[in-house]
Every structure is written in structure tokens, then in C-alpha cells.
Amino acid sequence: MNPNVHDSPLGKTAAGSAVYDPALLFPIPRAGGREALGIGNVLPFDGVDFWNAYELSWLDARGKPCVAIGELRVPCTTPNLIESKSLKLYFNSFNQHRCDSPEKFRQTLARDLSAAAGAAVGVRLQDPDTVESGMLRSLGGECIDALEISVDNYGPPNAGYLTTGETQTEEILVSHLLKSNCPVTGQPDWASVQIAYAGAKMDREGLLRYLVSFRNHDDFHEQCVERMFVDLLERCRPQWLTVQARYTRRGGIDINPWRSNRKNATADNPRQPRQ
């Protein structure tokens, strides 16, 4: 865990601000978590973190409240991730702030979030009354949660469970049993995870035990998914691999990391029924 994370507002009582304040945003360098995984300057994946914000509000030029659903796209190449409670406090600082237009509000978010992340962050706003159809859907793939397995390891994550057979395949596997913990507060983070790959067929029982072994693991969402990607890549050696996790929301925000080394792979942002 990055040593300065305890300086963040996470896990502390915070009244927030009634005045717009971009200084509330608390960046956390990605480098520390990646060094622990043996990831150097050259990333073994491409990817993006989708942040969906359901409690965005500001005032228009005449003082009438406005609301929107926000989608943030934070590339995995940004030097920093943004601590989630600081993001919530930042959003709340707009509650009494006047913006001339929704586009002005969007531009302000994009500028401030990009400055905190250290590189460009994409921001899209949607009107709750006209949100695009088809946004709510289940992850594609075969769910492995019904496998009859015995489990006695709930942490730390154990990559030793990951094995493959001789059969070659291309498949998409899904589990809704992922749980990890906030590294500061210890509060649970719940998620569904999707693993798509081509190569030697993964042992599904071992994969499920591996995912369950995150249950008492303390780490941020992004670092959990990157750990999964690195472990699967090293232990199973697929021709290509995509891992994404869809975490349930806390404080009106859900965080959804997506990582892939598949050529021309495209990330999308489908909201799950649990979200």
C-alpha cells in the first residue's frame, strides 16, 4: 500500500465543502502497487478504469439544481489513481456551485480529474431521463460459481491454485464471488469478475479457489485486477488475456477496472444488475 494513503480522507470523518474545491481530490501513485507485482515501466496490459457516478449535481446559471449520471474513463497509463472518498467529496463541492451549462460542468470535471490523475481523463454526462438503453446487462460468459469445491483459504491471494490442462480453448469465464477489502478502512468491496482468454484450458476449480482467496485481501480495486492479470498471465500463459471486475457502488460511485493484452480489444462499460 502506498505509504501516503493514510493521509487521505478515506476512513475519516469529513464534512466536505460547500464551495467548489478541486484540492479535495487525493491522487495515489500507481507505481507502488505495481512494483509489488513486479510490473516495471512497460505495462503487460492496456486498460481503463471506468468510474460511474450516480450522484452528480450542480446549479445552473439561475441557481436551479441540475443532475446527471457521470462516466469517467481513467486510462491505466495515468500515473495516479484517485482515492474514492476524495472523489465523492469533490463531487459534493459542486452541490451549491453554479455552472453556465452542463458542458461547462463536464469540462471542469475533465480538467480537475486529469490534473489529479496526471494525464487525460475522459468524462461523459448522461441525463437520467435519457440514459442509453441496454446499459444494464449481465456479463457475458460461463459462470463457474456452482462448482462444488472445498475452500479453506481466504487470503492472501494464492496464485498456486492456477493450473492448466493440455486442451487448447478460447472462452469467457465469470464469477460473482469476488470480495476484497479497502486497504485503509477494511470495509468490504464486492464485485463480479470476467476472465476471457485463449490458450491452455484453465482449471476452473483452481480458478475459483484463487478468486475466493482475495476474500480477506486488502487492496484497491485497480490493484486487485492487475494482480489477477499478472498471476493468470504468469501461471497460465494464455495467448491473450482480458480481465475486468465490476464492483458494486459505494457512496454513489462504482469502480470497474479493465485490463487486456489482446490486440485491438475494446473496453465497454456495461452496468451489472448488482450495480
Side-chain angles (χ1 to χ4, degrees), residues 111-211:
R111 181 194 66 212
D112 295 344
L113 295 170
S114 297
V121 171
V123 177
R124 182 170 66 129
L125 300 180
Q126 295 188 79
D127 186 322
D129 199 40
T130 58
V131 66
E132 62 189 33
S133 62
M135 183 179 178
L136 183 66
R137 64 185 188 272
S138 297
L139 283 170
E142 186 174 353
C143 184
I144 62 175
D145 293 347
L147 292 171
E148 295 290 340
I149 62 171
S150 298
V151 180
D152 57 10
N153 177 20
Y154 305 100
N158 186 352
Y161 291 129
L162 299 172
T163 62
T164 61
E166 296 182 0
T167 303
Q168 297 293 304
T169 190
E170 182 173 321
E171 62 181 356
I172 302 174
L173 303 176
V174 172
S175 175
H176 304 292
L177 303 188
L178 180 62
K179 172 189 168 289
S180 54
N181 298 322
C182 169
V184 178
T185 67
Q187 292 296 304
D189 294 319
W190 308 91
S192 298
V193 61
Q194 181 193 66
I195 297 166
Y197 73 97
K201 189 176 181 66
M202 295 182 186
D203 176 73
R204 296 184 177 188
E205 292 186 358
L207 176 60
L208 189 57
R209 288 190 178 93
Y210 169 72
L211 295 175

Side-chain angles (χ1 to χ4, degrees), residues 250-266:
R250 280 205 280 145
I253 301 168
D254 61 53
I255 306 170
N256 309 280
W258 181 95
R259 302 289 184 270
S260 181
N261 65 358
R262 186 176 189 181
K263 187 176 181 180
N264 298 324
T266 302

Side-chain angles (χ1 to χ4, degrees), residues 23-36:
L24 290 167
L25 293 169
F26 189 88
I28 299 174
R30 295 184 189 267
R34 288 174 174 171
E35 287 173 5

